[in-house]
Amino acid sequence: MSEHRRKPPQPQGGGDGRAAARRGQYDPSSGRRAAPRGATGSPSDYGFRSYGTDSQGSGGAERPYGSRAEARRAAQRNTGGRRRAADNGSHGPGGPAGPGRDRGRASMAPGKKRLIDYPRAHKFGWRRWVPSWKLVSGLSLTFLGSLVALVGVGYAMVGVPSENTAAQSQNNVYYWGNGQQMVATGTGVNRQNVTIDQIPEAMQYAVISAENKSFYTDSGVDPMGIARALVNMARGGQTQGGSTITQQFVKNTYLSQDQTITRKFKEMFISIKVGTKLTKPEILQGYLNTSYFGRGAYGIQAAAQTYYGVNAKDLTPSQCAVLASLLKGATYYDPAGNPDIDPSATRQANYKRSHERWAWILEEMHKDGHLNDADYQQAIKTYPLPQGRKAVKGMTGQISYLADTAKKYVLAHSNITEAQFDQGGYQIYTTFDKAKVNALSAAVAKVQKARLDPKNREKDKYVQFGAASVVPNDGKIVALYGGAGYENNHFTNNADTSGVPVGSTWKPFVLAAAMQDGTYKTDGVGVSPLSKYNGDDNLKVQRPDGTFYLNKDNSIFRQRNESTHAWGYITLRKAMEQSINTPFVQLGVDVGLTKVRDMAHASGILTDSMLQGLNPSFAIGTSTPSAIRMADAYATFAASGEHVEPYSVTAVKYGGQPLNGFDKPKASRAMDENVANNVTDVLQNVIQNGTGQNAKALGRTAAGKTGTTDSNKSAWFVGYTRQLATSVAMFRENPKDAELLSMNGTAGVESIHGGDIPTSVWTEYMKAALKNSNDLGFPDATKIGQISDEAGAPSPTPTISITPSETPSETPSATPSETITAPSPSVTETCQFAWNCSTDGGDTGSTSGTTSSPTATETTGNGNTRGNANGGNLFGGSTG
């Protein structure tokens, strides 16, 4: 027998030998290390050891070395792959049944069997972490069994919805700012169930062709659609609606639900049960009785009455296709438009969308065999335009616009959908002051009655007003005027809609940007309002690189004023007072039109209401913000540069519980305090000496600016005190296509300006709104910026008799004037720059070169001179 197969002798000599064996030390007698513990099968290998003999040579008692777990771990540590291979091979005595097998059994002997053997005890290395097929199959069966049980329990617990109890409407209750109830309005009377035999087949098939072609053959549930919705919700995205009519019917019964995964599973169980318990006609009937068609109409019967004034059974196939298109989203497919909910849902855009989907649905019905050739040709012949909106109970006068504004605010500051909101049950607490709302409405009515005669003057027809009043330093909207009222078929809220250019009321933003940021010539140092710019008419506008703006035909663009009066070089303060265009157009370019835009935005103007492709006329009011936004932006000046977003709702409750998202907006600094105070100082002068003199009748400290646009299509006045900022817009609009019309000839005058009727409305309202309140004045404005005159402006000489100051030294008169005795630049001086050499059409003054003030015959209307481009202006423009 070879040496390496001979069994090594057992160690002699008591404890030292055994200790060496435990440590795996070298054994001199055999020429090899001692066997590791666990390899011999002796009791000591399983956790017992002997302490040897005592001093008398008697054997000592054995005691446990450690726990079974410790023995098992020790055996595993001392059993390497190579050693196992040697022990299990032909090298060990006994062959396959040798020490290797014994060691494996020894390592497991102390343990107990586990219910789930993972990690696997008898495997080593990575194999310990690979589950056995028994474990995998067992867990799979357990999961499937649990899922089946869960589905069964869910299926058993849900009930089948009924359209008789689903989507029951409640009132929405609106409250004034003092907590008193304003109006309770809901849709309970605008819903009536009908049976399937009262719903035309054309309506049934219009919905099926548009929404769910396989309705009569599918199971009622779209697993892939549900999976997509669940994945989207898990990712935090928008939830997706049911993709079958059955699922949508179920969804209609949960209009106030939270969009959660739990709810989605519940909807799935109900849909499955509905598919097995109800017939297809019953499901279709339930769907059409609970669907929302817009305008507060729930169900096909209410929709038929709302849009066409007929019962559902009397709808034509063509009308059915229009109503079916509304199910895709009434906000965007109601041809009457819905701009108060979404600015993109204009009348024109909605009509186009509705017309296209109406034609598509009819075509699908024809292709699906639900309309024969003759019926299809008849239905597609003419689009059946629905009738206009109607006022509902309580929604008359200004109440309709107040509720509309509050609703819009709620939808914008919560995850409540329009359908959920119109379902009712909400209590909306607004900021509106009843007395101020009535005062604003009364002011409009008084001026209309005194100045307009639509029965006898064609140009007085279609004249509209929009107005809003905001509290500075707070942002709450206390009053607005939206129009003649829903009862008079005026459904557009003029106070909260864009589309009416603001004209020269935009100029204060240009001045604020100049005082804050300076021009490209001042290296960021603010510009003083006493800086001089050329106020003459028909001037070229120069870019910072010295080139001029061009028209589309590559001719040089020239900015126009309303008057051809030759103002010469005047201060920005004077240009604001008389609302002259040319200085502010050039100033806007010098400051940078993007900085002007940023200043307006910081003050409260929404970016999407501003001209996107900036051009010189951007500086004089081609933008179209709402009356609410203009009042809020001027409130920023009144608050010394602090801006607060306008808000109309202070709290919303549902089921008595307050909803989140309606905290008061926080203030932010839009501009430096002294910049705002200097703008206010300049705008005070507009009222005292300029185009806004009609506002002096208010009898208290106020600031404001007039504005009128090209072709006299709109006129504005926006003004403020420390307590209140109010904007008033006046315009004419063609009711057929919402196109602005010229007001030349309106009220029996040649043209309407912001300093005329709009200022009169503003003054009447502010008198009432501020009655019994103190005149708080404005903070003092300190000198600001450096004087940075436009190139070509004359240098001051000792011959100047009146030194321009922040407070005009001349005595205000009925006809605003400013006598400038300083020499005007000569032709030679002005012609050193080719772009300001125009002299045609202007009043050149006396031969001494002095610029005369406009005479009474040169001024318009109430003697106020306004600047604008009347024709020939590529970019549009404004007057004062």
Side-chain angles (χ1 to χ4, degrees):
M1 182 178 296
S2 63
E3 182 66 26
H4 69 271
R5 295 186 58 149
R6 184 179 302 144
K7 183 177 181 181
Q10 297 296 320
Q12 303 295 324
D16 291 339
R18 284 187 293 272
R22 285 193 302 274
R23 294 191 300 270
Q25 294 176 343
Y26 183 79
D27 186 356
S29 63
S30 62
R32 60 185 293 182
R33 289 186 181 275
R37 186 169 68 240
T40 63
S42 67
S44 65
D45 291 333
Y46 293 100
F48 296 89
R49 64 175 180 173
S50 173
Y51 277 80
T53 58
D54 56 20
S55 58
Q56 285 80 24
S58 61
E62 294 182 342
R63 67 172 185 172
Y65 171 78
S67 67
R68 293 180 179 177
E70 182 179 351
R72 184 165 62 253
R73 287 194 297 271
Q76 291 171 347
R77 283 196 302 270
N78 291 313
T79 305
R82 189 176 303 168
R83 192 170 296 162
R84 286 195 302 272
D87 291 336
N88 289 325
S90 58
H91 293 75
R101 290 290 182 90
D102 292 340
R103 186 163 56 249
R105 284 191 294 271
S107 66
M108 295 179 61
K112 294 182 179 179
K113 290 185 176 181
R114 294 177 292 173
L115 179 63
I116 300 177
D117 183 22
Y118 191 83
R120 300 169 73 181
H122 61 291
K123 298 293 183 181
F124 307 95
W126 62 269
R127 292 181 178 85
R128 283 171 51 79
W129 306 101
V130 178
S132 67
W133 68 269
K134 293 181 180 179
L135 179 61
V136 173
S137 59
L139 290 176
S140 297
L141 290 173
T142 301
F143 174 76
L144 292 175
S146 301
L147 186 61
V148 170
L150 180 64
V151 171
V153 171
Y155 183 85
M157 291 181 65
V158 299
V160 176
S162 167
E163 70 266 29
N164 293 317
T165 57
Q168 291 298 313
S169 298
Q170 304 177 60
N171 282 334
N172 283 328
V173 183
Y174 296 84
Y175 298 89
W176 292 103
N178 62 4
Q180 294 181 345
Q181 183 172 315
M182 178 196 304
V183 65
T185 178
T187 57
V189 298
N190 199 20
R191 182 174 182 274
Q192 178 183 348
N193 289 340
V194 291
T195 57
I196 194 67
D197 60 294
Q198 295 175 295
I199 302 174
E201 286 191 357
M203 187 68 223
Q204 300 176 39
Y205 286 120
V207 171
I208 291 172
S209 291
E211 305 284 334
N212 184 189
K213 288 179 180 292
S214 62
F215 171 69
Y216 277 107
T217 58
D218 63 36
S219 62
V221 177
D222 179 9
M224 292 304 296
I226 293 175
R228 286 192 301 271
L230 294 176
V231 170
N232 207 35
M233 281 189 287
R235 291 176 176 175
Q238 292 292 322
T239 58
Q240 298 176 1
S243 56
T244 69
I245 286 177
T246 303
Q247 287 174 256
Q248 292 180 58
F249 167 46
V250 172
K251 189 171 182 290
N252 287 345
T253 66
Y254 290 90
L255 290 176
S256 61
Q257 70 208 354
D258 293 328
Q259 297 293 332
T260 62
I261 292 178
T262 301
R263 199 277 306 155
K264 199 68 181 176
F265 273 113
K266 186 175 182 180
E267 179 186 305
M268 178 182 68
F269 292 141
I270 297 175
S271 298
I272 294 172
K273 199 163 192 175
V274 166
T276 60
K277 297 294 184 181
L278 299 181
T279 65
K280 290 292 185 177
E282 289 173 328
I283 294 171
L284 188 58
Q285 172 185 303
Y287 172 63
L288 288 173
N289 276 331
T290 58
S291 291
Y292 182 65
F293 289 85
R295 302 191 191 180
Y298 281 90
I300 185 60
Q301 174 66 13
Q305 288 287 350
T306 299
Y307 287 90
Y308 291 107
V310 300
N311 291 321
K313 63 184 180 62
D314 298 322
L315 290 168
T316 67
S318 190
Q319 292 171 337
C320 290
V322 172
L323 295 182
S325 71
L326 293 169
L327 297 175
K328 190 172 177 65
T331 298
Y332 304 98
Y333 287 87
D334 181 350
N338 223 326
D340 295 325
I341 300 299
D342 189 328
S344 67
T346 62
R347 187 184 308 172
Q348 296 89 335
N350 277 21
Y351 177 84
K352 181 180 179 182
R353 281 188 285 258
S354 176
H355 190 280
E356 290 175 350
R357 189 160 178 83
W358 161 78
W360 176 80
I361 290 174
L362 290 175
E363 184 180 357
E364 291 300 303
M365 293 172 67
H366 183 226
K367 286 182 356 185
D368 295 340
H370 303 316
L371 276 181
N372 59 41
D373 292 344
D375 290 340
Y376 172 69
Q377 292 301 327
Q378 179 64 30
I380 201 70
K381 184 181 298 182
T382 304
Y383 175 82
L385 184 68
Q387 59 192 20
R389 296 175 181 270
K390 297 183 180 70
V392 298
K393 182 180 180 181
M395 298 290 279
T396 57
Q398 296 309 302
I399 297 296
S400 54
Y401 306 115
L402 299 176
D404 170 81
T405 302
K407 172 183 175 179
K408 185 176 180 180
Y409 189 88
V410 170
L411 298 183
H413 291 79
S414 69
N415 59 1
I416 301 170
T417 67
E418 185 183 8
Q420 289 172 338
F421 187 87
D422 287 348
Q423 187 69 10
Y426 295 93
Q427 295 84 49
I428 303 99
Y429 296 84
T430 75
T431 60
F432 304 125
D433 184 308
K434 185 177 182 179
K436 288 181 173 61
V437 169
N438 291 339
L440 184 53
S441 181
V444 173
K446 179 179 180 179
V447 175
Q448 276 183 313
K449 183 178 180 180
R451 300 294 303 275
L452 302 178
D453 186 9
K455 292 183 178 179
N456 299 310
R457 268 198 301 262
E458 183 68 25
K459 286 299 183 77
D460 288 5
K461 292 181 178 178
Y462 312 134
V463 172
Q464 298 184 33
F465 291 87
S469 199
V470 174
V471 176
N473 268 322
D474 187 285
K476 64 181 177 181
I477 307 168
V478 293
L480 55 80
Y481 181 86
Y486 284 14
E487 71 276 19
N488 293 311
N489 295 319
H490 186 91
F491 295 94
T492 300
N493 185 352
N494 290 345
D496 195 21
T497 187
S498 60
V500 181
V502 295
S504 291
T505 57
W506 194 260
K507 290 173 183 174
F509 303 125
V510 181
L511 182 61
M515 290 193 291
Q516 176 115 342
D517 300 317
T519 69
Y520 72 94
K521 295 180 288 187
T522 64
D523 294 326
V525 178
V527 171
S528 168
L530 299 181
S531 302
K532 293 186 178 69
Y533 271 71
N534 195 333
D536 288 343
D537 182 39
N538 202 39
L539 291 184
K540 301 175 183 178
V541 182
Q542 188 178 35
R543 294 186 176 94
D545 63 4
T547 61
F548 302 114
Y549 283 90
L550 302 177
N551 293 313
K552 290 181 179 180
D553 61 0
N554 287 327
S555 61
I556 294 178
F557 164 70
R558 292 176 179 269
Q559 180 59 53
R560 302 289 305 277
N561 294 327
E562 182 183 28
S563 168
T564 59
H565 178 74
W567 288 99
Y569 286 89
I570 58 175
T571 65
L572 296 174
R573 178 186 182 86
K574 186 66 177 180
M576 186 75 77
E577 172 193 296
Q578 297 298 322
S579 200
I580 304 169
N581 285 345
T582 48
F584 285 98
V585 170
Q586 187 62 59
L587 178 65
V589 171
D590 291 350
V591 171
L593 296 174
T594 57
K595 290 183 179 179
V596 174
R597 180 184 62 194
D598 293 343
M599 176 59 72
H601 178 67
S603 301
I605 303 299
L606 297 178
T607 302
D608 58 9
S609 68
M610 289 189 265
L611 187 70
Q612 300 305 306
L614 300 182
N615 58 53
S617 293
F618 174 75
I620 52 174
T622 54
S623 298
T624 59
S626 67
I628 289 176
R629 285 288 169 176
M630 284 301 289
D632 178 65
Y634 272 52
T636 302
F637 297 136
S640 297
E642 286 282 331
H643 172 249
V644 183
E645 280 289 295
Y647 66 102
S648 57
V649 175
T650 59
V652 177
K653 294 182 179 180
Y654 185 80
Q657 298 299 315
L659 303 182
N660 295 326
F662 301 99
D663 295 332
K664 178 182 174 181
K666 296 181 180 179
S668 62
R669 179 148 294 282
M671 67 192 76
D672 182 78
E673 180 177 354
N674 198 38
V675 168
N677 291 342
N678 269 274
V679 171
T680 295
D681 182 68
V682 172
L683 297 186
Q684 282 182 264
N685 186 52
V686 171
I687 291 179
Q688 291 302 314
N689 304 301
T691 58
Q693 286 192 76
N694 278 347
K696 285 198 295 184
L698 177 61
R700 63 172 63 220
T701 307
K705 184 68 188 76
T706 58
T708 313
T709 58
D710 273 349
S711 302
N712 208 209
K713 290 183 177 179
S714 63
W716 289 73
F717 184 77
V718 188
Y720 55 93
T721 65
R722 285 282 290 277
Q723 300 102 319
L724 211 55
T726 302
S727 65
V728 178
M730 177 182 177
F731 56 95
R732 290 181 70 217
E733 184 179 66
N734 188 327
K736 294 182 179 179
D737 55 15
E739 189 114 358
L740 292 181
L741 304 172
S742 173
M743 290 189 292
N744 289 333
T746 296
V749 298
E750 183 179 350
S751 60
I752 296 294
H753 295 88
D756 189 6
I757 292 179
T759 304
S760 297
V761 172
W762 182 90
T763 306
E764 285 291 329
Y765 162 69
M766 293 291 277
K767 282 180 180 178
L770 297 173
K771 187 177 181 180
N772 299 325
S773 65
N774 295 326
D775 184 351
L776 301 180
F778 291 113
D780 291 334
T782 59
K783 185 177 180 180
I784 191 171
Q786 69 179 35
I787 294 179
S788 178
D789 296 336
E790 182 183 3
S795 300
T797 67
T799 61
I800 296 179
S801 62
I802 297 178
T803 303
S805 63
E806 294 179 5
T807 301
S809 57
E810 70 271 16
T811 303
S813 62
T815 301
S817 63
E818 178 178 312
T819 301
I820 305 174
T821 59
S824 295
S826 66
V827 174
T828 304
E829 290 173 326
T830 59
C831 284
Q832 61 180 310
F833 299 100
W835 50 270
N836 57 15
C837 292
S838 174
T839 58
D840 58 320
D843 182 355
T844 58
S846 67
T847 56
S848 64
T850 59
T851 302
S852 63
S853 300
T855 64
T857 58
E858 291 170 330
T859 56
T860 59
N862 59 4
N864 297 334
T865 303
R866 303 155 187 81
N868 187 22
N870 287 334
N873 188 342
L874 168 67
F875 300 114
S878 67
T879 62

